[in-house]
Amino acid sequence: MSDLVHHALAHAGKPATTPWVVTLVSGEKLTGPITVLADGCYAIGLGQIKYFASDKVASLNVSGAGAFPI
């Protein structure tokens, strides 16, 4: 399976410092810049870092780029 979070980040064409809103399938919302850690694994935030896997993401949103439903 292809990493849809990676494709959404590439498609948006935003700088690494862009704050994203990631909604997980559990309903939890994470905000901040996204850092790629490994295939399908990401960190988000500044100061307080949260970690997530691409298979747990329901949608990504960033100002000016629209929503990327997964």
Side-chain angles (χ1 to χ4, degrees):
M1 179 173 153
S2 136
D3 185 345
L4 297 175
V5 172
H6 177 76
H7 289 293
L9 293 173
H11 175 74
K14 299 289 183 183
T17 56
T18 299
W20 288 81
V21 177
V22 176
T23 304
L24 302 180
V25 293
S26 66
E28 181 180 6
K29 290 189 185 236
L30 308 174
T31 59
I34 295 175
T35 302
V36 179
L37 300 176
D39 287 341
C41 297
Y42 300 88
I44 187 169
L46 291 171
Q48 184 178 10
I49 305 295
K50 299 269 189 159
Y51 302 94
F52 66 94
S54 58
D55 64 347
K56 302 296 182 193
V57 174
S59 68
L60 297 173
N61 221 340
V62 66
S63 178
F68 298 89
I70 302 300

